[in-house]
Amino acid sequence: MKRFFQPLQKDASFKKPTLSSTSSPSPANNGETEETATATTTPVDETQKKQPTKFLTWNANSFLLRVKNNWPEFTKFIDSIDPDVIAIQEVRMPAAGAKGTPKNPRELKDDNNSSREEKLIITRALSGPTFRKYDVWWSLSDSKYAGTALFVKKCFPPKKVSFNLDPSVSKHEPDGRVIIAEFESFRIMNTYVPNNGWKDEETSFQRRRKWDKRMKEFILQSTDKPLIWCGDLNVSHEEMDVSHPEFFRTAKMNGYVPPNKEDCGQPGFTLSERKRFGTILKEGKLIDAYRFLHKDIDMERGFSWSGNPIGKYRGKRMRIDYHLVSEKLKDKIIKCEMHGQGIELEGFYGSDHCPVSLELSESTIDGNDSENPIPE
């Protein structure tokens, strides 16, 4: 969901452990679905954890704009919580490749002066002290639309990274909506789910139905390892996940009312979307980490998206950004927090979404909990 405004800034707080390593950048993949991570890492001290346990997801609503306008505040926030993995949605930077030629969604465009300048801005930002300890994988659209990025600390190189819900397809998802990183005992999936739209058209309701069907199939077939599914999932599951249920339930675009009552309302809060999402959670045996810890509605900090402070969407908020984890991991959820608050968008860092963090206990990720082992 896209709206522009300039929020107040506010830092969040987690304890910051110190991890440092050096690594070569992740190699280009020329659009192939799968790649083996080959980053060179410095030895990790035996007292340090072996796999990522702290995760952050954020729809940046243009990563380039956030770098230009909000980078000091955002990097300070990242330093304060020190996530092992950062999942970004709505990168909105085009893939490499000149006009009329095949695109490489793994690389930023740099074939003209403006794109080279934009790539340089990003490269410089990521070479700073906060982000130089991460490797990054991009999945980009052909234009300044959608796109995702996954930052992983260099001391935790994934075994494999892929970019499609169908492992048999050797290309990225359209618009760069998926990045999947596999580690020793779990996988994490970063997605930017298509917006449902307002009408029963190929690019709206129909596209979302197909996406939800494919997502359910992927999750049901990927049971060999626990899953952490994060990102902008563009759905508010329950009424308590929106600030004004009646407003969102009766929302219309230019007075249009879909013929199916279950498709009526704000995209992300239609009954049909919410039912399909519930089915994915139930059949996929996934736990909503935030709601698992926060049972009651929180009108101040309980929403991840907020409408433009000017206009009819002022104060209208939704929780559409998630960390979903396999049931095998639910008892090891330590924290899941939203780091923005209020209708003036404190802690949103220029986006219309705030960052959402997840922390799991190390014993779960390593599979070494003798009292509650992860089933094979």
Side-chain angles (χ1 to χ4, degrees):
M1 305 181 86
K2 306 177 184 65
R3 296 183 189 276
F4 278 94
F5 35 77
Q6 182 63 40
L8 301 174
Q9 305 295 342
K10 184 174 181 179
D11 297 326
S13 59
F14 273 4
K15 290 188 292 185
K16 178 189 173 186
T18 302
L19 289 174
S20 61
S21 67
T22 57
S23 165
S24 58
S26 55
N29 196 37
N30 296 322
E32 294 183 359
T33 299
E34 219 171 73
E35 70 175 39
T36 301
T38 57
T40 304
T41 64
T42 57
V44 178
D45 189 274
E46 291 182 1
T47 62
Q48 294 180 330
K49 56 192 178 185
K50 298 178 182 179
Q51 295 188 89
T53 61
K54 296 172 69 175
F55 311 88
L56 186 79
T57 182
W58 186 40
N59 179 319
N61 195 10
S62 175
F63 193 64
L64 179 64
L65 286 179
R66 303 292 76 83
V67 169
K68 287 182 174 180
N69 301 328
N70 310 94
W71 203 238
E73 297 88 352
F74 183 66
T75 53
K76 186 177 180 181
F77 165 71
I78 293 298
D79 288 337
S80 73
I81 68 169
D82 197 31
D84 302 322
V85 177
I86 304 171
I88 303 291
Q89 305 87 45
E90 268 202 278
V91 171
R92 288 168 57 183
M93 296 193 69
K99 186 175 181 179
T101 65
K103 302 298 188 291
N104 178 4
R106 278 281 293 111
E107 296 289 339
L108 298 171
K109 182 179 178 66
D110 63 354
D111 61 281
N112 56 45
N113 289 338
S114 62
S115 62
R116 279 191 289 271
E117 180 180 351
E118 291 176 349
K119 182 176 181 178
L120 182 59
I121 291 171
I122 296 296
T123 301
R124 285 174 173 169
L126 299 184
S127 65
T130 297
F131 276 85
R132 69 174 57 145
K133 58 188 173 185
Y134 295 92
D135 278 322
V136 58
W137 284 263
W138 305 97
S139 187
L140 305 172
S141 177
D142 290 352
S143 61
K144 288 187 176 182
Y145 173 72
T148 52
L150 191 71
F151 295 84
V152 181
K153 277 188 176 177
K154 294 176 179 179
C155 54
F156 302 122
K159 296 170 67 67
K160 183 172 65 176
V161 178
S162 53
F163 305 89
N164 200 296
L165 295 176
D166 185 349
S168 68
V169 176
S170 59
K171 62 181 180 180
H172 290 224
E173 284 287 340
D175 302 323
R177 292 185 179 273
V178 173
I179 303 179
I180 305 167
E182 183 174 329
F183 296 90
E184 186 65 33
S185 58
F186 74 98
R187 60 174 56 91
I188 183 168
M189 175 167 61
N190 172 24
T191 63
Y192 177 38
V193 173
N195 188 286
N196 191 57
W198 296 91
K199 295 185 178 182
D200 195 358
E201 299 174 338
E202 185 177 351
T203 58
S204 298
F205 295 171
Q206 296 171 27
R207 176 179 67 167
R208 181 59 180 268
R209 291 189 199 110
K210 291 176 183 177
W211 170 278
D212 289 344
K213 181 176 183 292
R214 292 181 63 226
M215 180 58 69
K216 185 175 78 169
E217 291 171 351
F218 169 82
I219 292 172
L220 293 179
Q221 294 169 5
S222 303
T223 57
D224 55 317
K225 291 182 178 182
L227 173 68
I228 301 170
W229 176 18
C230 68
D232 177 356
L233 307 193
N234 255 321
V235 62
S236 295
H237 188 205
E238 305 288 353
E239 287 203 357
M240 67 187 304
D241 295 318
V242 298
S243 61
H244 298 75
E246 186 62 21
F247 173 87
F248 289 114
R249 188 167 30 245
T250 59
K252 302 175 184 177
M253 174 65 78
N254 299 325
Y256 174 75
V257 178
N260 184 343
K261 290 184 178 180
E262 292 194 351
D263 290 325
C264 294
Q266 178 75 29
F269 195 62
T270 65
L271 189 56
S272 59
E273 292 173 273
R274 294 162 58 198
K275 282 185 175 180
R276 292 196 301 268
F277 186 65
T279 299
I280 292 173
L281 294 183
K282 182 178 180 180
E283 296 186 13
K285 297 181 179 180
L286 296 173
I287 300 297
D288 178 348
Y290 178 83
R291 192 55 69 204
F292 180 71
L293 297 178
H294 305 272
K295 308 296 186 184
D296 300 322
I297 190 168
D298 183 346
M299 291 299 292
E300 187 67 12
R301 303 186 68 97
F303 310 103
S304 62
W305 174 88
S306 187
N308 194 322
I310 301 174
K312 70 176 183 178
Y313 276 88
R314 175 177 173 80
K316 308 302 190 298
R317 293 167 287 170
M318 307 176 76
R319 188 172 73 93
I320 58 177
D321 301 85
Y322 293 79
H323 289 281
L324 306 177
V325 304
S326 296
E327 286 185 355
K328 299 174 183 178
L329 304 178
K330 73 175 182 179
D331 293 332
K332 304 302 180 179
I333 300 170
I334 297 175
K335 294 180 181 178
C336 188
E337 303 292 341
M338 278 176 276
H339 294 274
Q341 64 177 332
I343 63 176
E344 300 299 336
L345 291 88
E346 298 179 19
F348 281 61
Y349 305 101
S351 178
D352 49 358
H353 297 246
C354 72
V356 184
S357 64
L358 170 70
E359 184 174 357
L360 301 178
S361 64
E362 185 178 347
S363 59
T364 301
I365 299 298
D366 290 338
N368 293 326
D369 191 332
S370 59
E371 295 182 1
N372 296 289
I374 299 176
E376 294 292 334

